[in-house]
Amino acid sequence: MAGNSFGTLFKLTTFGESHGRALGGIIDGCPAGIALDIEAVQNELNRRKPGQSAIVTQRKEPDTVELYSGVFEGKTTGTPIGFAIHNTNQKSKDYSHIKDSYRPSHADYVYDKKYGFRDYRGGGRSSARETASRVVAGAIAKQFLATIQINAFVSQVGELKLQKSYQELDFKEIENNPVRCADPEMAIKMEEYIKSIKKEGDTIGGVITCVAKNVPIGLGEPVFDKLHAELGKAMLSINAVKGFEYGSGFDGVLMKGSAHNDQFNQDGTTKTNLSGGVQGGISNGMDIYFNVAFKPVATVLQGYETINKDGEKVTTQGKGRHDPCVVPRAVPIVEAMTALVLADYSLLARTNKI
């Protein structure tokens, strides 16, 4: 299986399955001499881990990261950083009923057809549990970036959508509610809505907005590796993501060019930022902001019709422990992937000129 590595200079390779012994990864290219705050890395994992509130999956995993290499006396050594997160609360029997059938909108069918074999226990490698490794790497990337501030938050659940711009929000509110919405009043509405969806045995989708501040000018490698293209790839590689837009996004098609152009100030900043901090595929020093759309979780705790490996129609029902809405736990994943892109491009930018 290819496709398990991300990045060019700051590179992450991950391994592991949802119900295997452990997940983990190797980070190659992390510069030496970075004072690493292990508690901060663990805190990022805690934001992603299951069982943290009533509106997420109740699988109980401590998700404690163990570092095996690349760090000595609290600092990175420049050698590969190896780490693992052990699984402790698998309930593989919850998936025995789908051993020979395929769940709609899951990766079951295509994995089986592509590889001639699949791990049906929680989706195996296709499970969103794989993203735990990304969060560890992203947490280390954040510490390398230091001055760049990355904040993601839930801006929409179903039809409940924040009408405020990110400039009007207090990012300190994000961790004050289980939805991770930056607006306290909307967070309450979203939480109640997710609970009602959960009672129905159903799921709902949502949108995460991410903002990166203090990004220096010059990140991005045109023409094929433009900054926004790599951010898009990073986000679309996350499980359940169905859409990515940055800056004015799809709303930009409603505007005339004269209104959409970001006029310059004398210091090189712009009066508006409809470009979303990226022009010509290169960061321009303004805030980078984008939206990531997540579909409803495919596993619904209701009866449904599907097919088995022999192509026969069968009826089954979703079982196990699943998120009724994935976006609250996906916030740190979006931040992590953003950090990985910016860390990689920060190193690449140092090769652009002498």
Side-chain angles (χ1 to χ4, degrees), residues 40-59:
V41 175
Q42 185 60 53
N43 183 61
E44 292 296 300
L45 268 177
N46 293 344
R47 297 172 69 208
R48 195 220 70 97
K49 74 178 182 180
Q52 60 183 271
S53 76
I55 60 171
V56 303
T57 172
Q58 293 307 294
R59 178 172 175 170

Side-chain angles (χ1 to χ4, degrees), residues 302-324:
Q302 301 175 357
Y304 57 85
E305 189 179 84
T306 186
I307 60 171
N308 62 21
K309 63 181 182 180
D310 296 318
E312 302 167 329
K313 287 187 177 182
V314 294
T315 301
T316 187
Q317 182 173 358
K319 297 180 181 180
R321 301 160 296 178
H322 305 278
D323 293 272

Side-chain angles (χ1 to χ4, degrees), residues 105-126:
S105 289
H106 275 274
D108 299 346
Y109 179 78
V110 290
Y111 262 62
D112 212 356
K113 293 301 178 182
K114 180 176 176 64
Y115 300 108
F117 179 82
R118 71 181 174 98
D119 183 348
Y120 61 85
R121 304 166 303 164
R125 183 71 175 154
S126 69

Side-chain angles (χ1 to χ4, degrees), residues 22-330:
L23 305 110
I26 295 176
I27 304 168
D28 204 3
C30 182
I34 299 170
L36 199 60
D37 184 345
I38 302 300
E39 288 187 10
V41 175
Q42 185 60 53
N43 183 61
E44 292 296 300
L45 268 177
N46 293 344
R47 297 172 69 208
R48 195 220 70 97
K49 74 178 182 180
Q52 60 183 271
S53 76
I55 60 171
V56 303
T57 172
Q58 293 307 294
R59 178 172 175 170
K60 301 294 183 182
E61 291 283 1
D63 277 2
T64 303
V65 63
E66 296 181 10
L67 296 180
Y68 294 131
S69 63
V71 180
F72 180 65
E73 294 183 342
K75 292 186 177 182
T76 57
T77 62
T79 60
I81 299 173
F83 64 89
I85 305 149
H86 290 274
N87 291 322
T88 64
N89 192 225
Q90 311 97 309
K91 291 187 178 180
S92 300
K93 64 180 181 179
D94 287 346
Y95 299 90
S96 58
H97 66 295
I98 60 163
K99 180 179 180 181
D100 297 317
S101 62
Y102 307 114
R103 297 169 294 176
S105 289
H106 275 274
D108 299 346
Y109 179 78
V110 290
Y111 262 62
D112 212 356
K113 293 301 178 182
K114 180 176 176 64
Y115 300 108
F117 179 82
R118 71 181 174 98
D119 183 348
Y120 61 85
R121 304 166 303 164
R125 183 71 175 154
S126 69
S127 169
R129 182 144 179 76
E130 173 270 331
T131 58
S133 299
R134 306 183 191 207
V135 171
V136 172
I140 293 174
K142 279 185 177 181
Q143 295 185 44
F144 164 59
L145 295 169
T147 57
I148 296 177
Q149 298 174 8
I150 301 170
N151 293 103
F153 59 91
V154 175
S155 56
Q156 183 173 350
V157 173
E159 294 184 355
L160 296 174
K161 183 178 181 180
L162 271 177
Q163 299 302 318
K164 299 177 180 177
S165 66
Y166 76 83
Q167 295 94 337
E168 299 174 86
L169 300 171
D170 182 358
F171 292 160
K172 293 179 181 178
E173 294 289 343
I174 296 171
E175 293 300 313
N176 289 339
N177 61 81
V179 184
R180 294 199 166 89
C181 176
D183 181 89
E185 294 182 4
M186 181 58 81
I188 294 172
K189 295 178 182 179
M190 289 177 171
E191 181 178 0
E192 291 305 312
Y193 183 52
I194 294 172
K195 287 179 178 178
S196 70
I197 293 294
K198 182 180 179 180
K199 287 180 181 178
E200 297 173 7
D202 218 327
T203 63
I204 193 70
V207 174
I208 291 176
T209 297
C210 186
V211 182
K213 292 178 171 290
N214 303 325
V215 179
I217 299 171
L219 304 190
E221 302 296 324
V223 292
F224 294 115
D225 297 329
K226 295 174 180 177
L227 180 57
H228 59 279
E230 194 68 8
L231 285 169
K233 176 185 176 181
M235 299 308 137
L236 291 166
S237 75
I238 300 172
N239 309 62
V241 169
K242 287 295 184 182
F244 170 81
E245 64 172 357
Y246 76 102
S248 61
F250 288 100
D251 288 340
V253 305
L254 304 174
M255 305 175 69
K256 295 179 180 179
S258 56
H260 191 272
N261 287 344
D262 294 319
Q263 300 298 326
F264 283 106
N265 296 309
Q266 284 187 298
D267 63 358
T269 61
T270 55
K271 299 180 187 300
T272 56
N273 187 22
L274 294 169
S275 298
V278 183
Q279 292 172 335
I282 300 170
S283 60
N284 66 357
M286 302 295 287
D287 293 348
I288 292 174
Y289 64 96
F290 55 85
N291 294 322
V292 188
F294 288 78
K295 71 173 184 176
V297 174
T299 299
V300 294
L301 302 183
Q302 301 175 357
Y304 57 85
E305 189 179 84
T306 186
I307 60 171
N308 62 21
K309 63 181 182 180
D310 296 318
E312 302 167 329
K313 287 187 177 182
V314 294
T315 301
T316 187
Q317 182 173 358
K319 297 180 181 180
R321 301 160 296 178
H322 305 278
D323 293 272
C325 181
V326 73
V327 287
R329 292 177 58 217

